[in-house]
Amino acid sequence: MRRGVKPKLGLILSGGGARAAYQVGVLRAIAGILPRHAHNPFPIICGTSAGALNAATLAVNARNFRKGVQYLSNIWKNFQVGDVYRADPVGVFGNSLRWLAGVVLSAMGNNRLNRVSLLDNAPLVDLLNKTLPCEKIQESIDAGLLHALSITASGYGSGHSVAFYQGAKDIQPWQRARRRSAPVKIDATHLLASSAIPFLFPAVHIHREYFGDGSMRQIAPISAALHLGASRVLIIGLGQDGAEQPRRGHMDEYPSLAHIAGHALNSIFLDSMEVDLERLQRINRTVGMMPEDIRQAVRLRHVDVLLIEPSQPIDGIAERYAGRLPWPIRLLLRGVGAMRRSGANLVSYLLFEKGFCRALIELGYQDAMKRKEEIRAFFDLERAVGAADNLPQ
């Protein structure tokens, strides 16, 4: 790290639909570990998909971290599916019929009804507009409580993973293969684009193209935090902590649509973070064997990372609460096999019901508290830390 440069801690909140309730539990534990009236401890906050909603809420409430976390907790603990997408019979089946009509008409060359989302997320639009005053993000930046907020979305036209960011004036935009940054004034539109799960929620038009869920094609989820100046990063992931590689066994039954969809969503939301983290750890080991003069020449530094992930499989928890979904959603999901055990993965991304969310919040809280001393040490700014100009950006 350059002398005189204050180390910046980055927070990375990955995507995963309703699974993001787990992040709230971890944040609750961190808020309890820090002093009661502490400001936001993360100068750099990066969110993707549902993690983007949590990230923006923390940025808006940067003056009082515990208050922001409590606000998040109150929302997630009382979530109902109808707060995120329409779950009434007219909303569910009407939207499905429009989707089918759009497919047919598109095949005939008529794109007027070419909708590609099975669910109507109009309730989430209303919720964000009513409860998240995004204009306060700039107030947090101006007050020195936040260095930058980044929200990632995927461009359907360009194929680029775009990190929309709002932050200090000295931040320089960046561009890499298939990914780039865009300085903007973040609002609900960017959050909706980042959380637009493919096929399930509608794409969002921003500037010149349509955008979908930020986890798609996000090949380097840690990158944005480093480009924005983070010297250390805390990652709250949604894969399973320490999960062993599953053994290849016999599978005689053909996979249902829900099984395939859940497999695809896991690939979108979980795999990139695991690969990027493995790459960063490998570079850290390499850097540790380099003499200091060579490190300086190649602009490589060690980057400290703390990863907190669920200690239990989330799909197993989702299976216990799937029956609490509204009956129109259950009927829709049953048609693709999602109400069977093999479809629990898909259900876990859509299960915005308070029982499931509270279970994940509690799991996140307990997982973080078990690592209380490790978290305390990670927040110690006197420790030797890594630098923000690491080449894996």
Side-chain angles (χ1 to χ4, degrees):
M1 175 173 292
R2 297 183 300 274
R3 292 182 179 180
V5 178
K6 184 178 179 181
K8 294 183 176 67
L9 178 58
L11 173 65
I12 299 177
L13 300 174
S14 56
R19 291 173 171 234
Y22 176 83
Q23 297 171 349
V24 180
V26 176
L27 292 169
R28 273 187 57 202
I30 293 173
I33 293 170
L34 297 177
R36 177 175 292 274
H37 298 293
H39 295 322
N40 164 49
F42 303 103
I44 295 164
I45 304 177
C46 302
T48 303
S49 192
L53 311 182
N54 292 339
T57 302
L58 293 179
V60 165
N61 293 277
R63 190 166 296 279
N64 190 318
F65 181 67
R66 183 172 292 196
K67 178 182 176 182
V69 172
Q70 186 59 51
Y71 183 73
L72 268 178
S73 182
N74 289 339
I75 291 177
W76 280 93
K77 283 173 64 176
N78 296 289
F79 250 144
Q80 294 180 332
V81 163
D83 295 324
V84 180
Y85 53 88
R86 288 190 62 177
D88 59 287
V90 174
V92 173
F93 301 122
N95 199 71
S96 298
L97 287 173
R98 284 193 296 272
W99 179 80
L100 288 172
V103 171
V104 174
L105 291 175
S106 179
M108 298 171 61
N110 187 334
N111 293 321
R112 286 181 298 174
L113 289 177
N114 188 19
R115 294 180 60 96
V116 290
S117 66
L118 281 173
L119 300 172
D120 181 355
N121 66 342
L124 179 60
V125 177
D126 293 338
L127 179 66
L128 292 178
N129 288 331
K130 291 176 181 177
T131 63
L132 197 58
C134 289
E135 64 274 7
K136 290 190 176 182
I137 295 172
Q138 189 60 47
E139 294 179 16
S140 297
I141 295 170
D142 294 340
L145 302 171
L146 181 71
H147 183 68
L149 169 68
S150 169
I151 303 297
T152 301
S154 180
Y156 281 116
S158 64
H160 288 161
S161 175
V162 180
F164 295 103
Y165 73 89
Q166 184 173 350
K169 294 181 180 179
D170 61 345
I171 296 174
Q172 296 298 314
W174 66 92
Q175 185 167 349
R176 297 291 186 270
R178 288 294 174 186
R179 49 195 170 97
R180 63 181 181 84
S181 65
V184 297
K185 186 175 181 180
I186 291 173
D187 58 27
T189 304
H190 302 95
L191 304 180
L192 290 167
S194 182
S195 57
I197 300 176
F199 301 110
L200 299 177
F201 299 135
V204 177
H205 194 266
I206 301 177
H207 303 313
R208 298 184 300 272
E209 65 179 317
Y210 279 94
F211 286 86
D213 198 289
S215 295
M216 295 187 294
R217 311 197 76 167
Q218 190 183 33
I219 58 177
I222 305 173
S223 170
L226 302 181
H227 279 292
L228 292 170
S231 53
R232 295 180 295 159
V233 290
L234 170 64
I235 304 170
I236 307 180
L238 299 174
Q240 189 179 355
D241 181 27
E244 296 182 358
Q245 294 293 330
R247 295 181 179 179
R248 294 182 62 188
H250 293 286
M251 182 177 174
D252 298 322
E253 183 180 352
Y254 192 84
S256 66
L257 287 175
H259 192 168
I260 295 172
H263 185 79
L265 290 178
N266 279 352
S267 175
I268 291 172
F269 288 111
L270 306 181
D271 292 358
S272 293
M273 180 63 75
E274 292 180 2
V275 171
D276 199 26
L277 184 59
E278 182 179 290
R279 177 168 54 237
L280 182 58
Q281 291 170 336
R282 186 169 60 249
I283 292 176
N284 279 344
R285 289 192 295 270
T286 302
V287 168
M289 296 184 288
M290 288 181 176
E292 181 61 28
D293 56 338
I294 296 180
R295 292 188 197 180
Q296 295 293 337
V298 297
R299 294 180 63 244
L300 277 176
R301 295 290 188 274
H302 183 278
V303 176
D304 247 350
V305 179
L306 177 61
L307 171 67
I308 301 178
E309 289 185 304
S311 58
Q312 300 176 25
I314 290 182
D315 53 346
I317 300 174
E319 189 179 348
R320 299 202 304 265
Y321 291 93
R324 301 189 184 184
L325 284 165
W327 72 263
I329 298 296
R330 294 202 309 271
L331 185 59
L332 180 67
L333 293 177
R334 187 173 290 116
V336 295
M339 299 308 290
R340 303 181 219 155
R341 175 173 297 182
S342 62
N345 247 336
L346 175 59
V347 171
S348 71
Y349 290 98
L350 298 173
L351 194 48
F352 292 93
E353 285 293 324
K354 62 182 181 181
F356 177 64
C357 292
R358 291 182 181 189
L360 291 190
I361 291 172
E362 180 61 21
L363 178 62
Y365 181 82
Q366 295 299 333
D367 285 348
M369 292 305 292
K370 290 175 184 176
R371 302 172 67 181
K372 183 176 180 179
E373 295 308 316
E374 189 178 356
I375 292 172
R376 283 184 184 276
F378 196 76
F379 275 93
D380 182 3
L381 297 181
E382 297 302 318
R383 299 172 68 233
V385 296
D389 55 350
N390 202 339
L391 282 185
Q393 299 174 5

